[in-house]
Amino acid sequence: EAGVTQSPTHLIKTRGQQATLRCSPISGHTSVYWYQQALGLGLQFLLWYDEGEERNRGNFPPRFSGRQFPNYSSELNVNALELEDSALYLCASSLDAQNIQYFGAGTRLSVL
Amino acid sequence: GIQVEQSPPDLILQEGANSTLRCNFSDSVNNLQWFHQNPWGQLINLFYIPSGTKQNGRLSATTVATERYSLLYISSSQTTDSGVYFCAPTEGGGNKLTFGTGTQLKVEL
């Protein structure tokens, strides 16, 4: 059984551009979570999607947004990129909102 | 929100040694997971342990929810155990994981 898959592995953008990160959950999982791991800031919760709806949001500005598709895959969009958005973005999925979260390998975003 | 503290922040062991990593949290928790982050950034699930004790090979974990702490035991450490260990509880009624600052473990030959 495939785990959580994320693409791309690496992404290089310049300040002001937009970035789109993708995540496919484990088959059968309906909840998808996004976390940011920035240098010096640790792992922080970004967004939670379940059954196509945004259920919870971390302390991030509105230029961080996303969506969940009918097949439960998810997209994270970051608009108007800033240098401090450079980080490892990790996606996780769970069977439902109360269950164990399994993580993908992450997308490393570099903003130049 | 919940505060999570992990200790020690850094740990260097000789191969074969045992260690205990601690995670303190400030409020009641629904769930608690322990992870190992490898050098490539992948978070590997170790334990889902909101309470009680579990064992998996050389690793075991104990959570005492009433006293708001969890312990991860590593026995007979190996160089492949190197990396960062995170505990991440979820608050009562919530679903987001709140990560501690981690314990950076290095196991030397």
Side-chain angles (χ1 to χ4, degrees), chain B residues 14-73:
Chain B
Q14 294 297 310
E15 195 172 45
N18 303 327
S19 63
T20 301
L21 281 56
R22 187 177 179 101
C23 171
N24 293 330
F25 40 93
S26 60
D27 210 339
S28 61
V29 298
N30 244 5
N31 308 321
L32 188 141
Q33 292 185 238
W34 280 96
F35 296 93
H36 175 214
Q37 189 169 38
N38 66 21
W40 298 271
Q42 173 97 49
L43 281 171
I44 310 298
N45 287 63
L46 297 177
F47 292 101
Y48 169 78
I49 187 164
S51 63
T53 297
K54 290 186 178 179
Q55 178 147 12
N56 184 4
R58 296 182 296 104
L59 302 181
S60 64
T62 295
T63 297
V64 184
T66 53
E67 297 187 21
R68 299 180 183 171
Y69 73 88
S70 184
L71 303 173
L72 178 69
Y73 306 95

Side-chain angles (χ1 to χ4, degrees), chain B residues 6 22 48 59 65 82-83 95 103 105:
Chain B
Q6 290 187 243
R22 187 177 179 101
Y48 169 78
L59 302 181
S82 297
N95 65 296
T103 291
L105 173 64

Side-chain angles (χ1 to χ4, degrees), chain A residues 33 35 37 48 98 101 103, chain B residues 33 37 42 45 95 97:
Chain A
Y33 310 81
Y35 293 84
Q37 188 175 27
W48 168 39
Q98 299 302 320
Q101 294 185 30
F103 282 78
Chain B
Q33 292 185 238
Q37 189 169 38
Q42 173 97 49
N45 287 63
N95 65 296
L97 295 172

Side-chain angles (χ1 to χ4, degrees), chain A residues 26-92:
Chain A
I26 292 171
S27 178
H29 286 193
T30 61
S31 278
V32 170
Y33 310 81
W34 288 95
Y35 293 84
Q36 182 199 63
Q37 188 175 27
L39 201 62
L41 293 178
L43 273 152
Q44 298 184 83
F45 168 76
L46 250 170
L47 290 160
W48 168 39
Y49 292 96
D50 183 59
E51 297 288 353
E53 301 286 330
E54 182 181 302
R55 302 296 185 183
N56 199 359
R57 182 182 182 85
N59 189 24
F60 282 84
R63 57 191 187 81
F64 287 84
S65 65
R67 53 180 170 166
Q68 186 178 34
F69 299 99
N71 66 354
Y72 302 113
S73 67
S74 177
E75 227 173 54
L76 174 68
N77 295 295
V78 189
N79 293 321
L81 284 165
E82 301 179 1
L83 297 178
E84 52 265 35
D85 297 333
S86 295
L88 179 66
Y89 289 85
L90 292 163
C91 172

Side-chain angles (χ1 to χ4, degrees), chain A residues 11-19 78-83 85-86 109-112:
Chain A
L11 190 56
I12 299 175
K13 294 285 185 178
T14 56
R15 197 169 48 182
Q17 286 188 313
Q18 178 195 27
V78 189
N79 293 321
L81 284 165
E82 301 179 1
L83 297 178
D85 297 333
S86 295
L109 172 64
S110 298
V111 183
L112 307 177

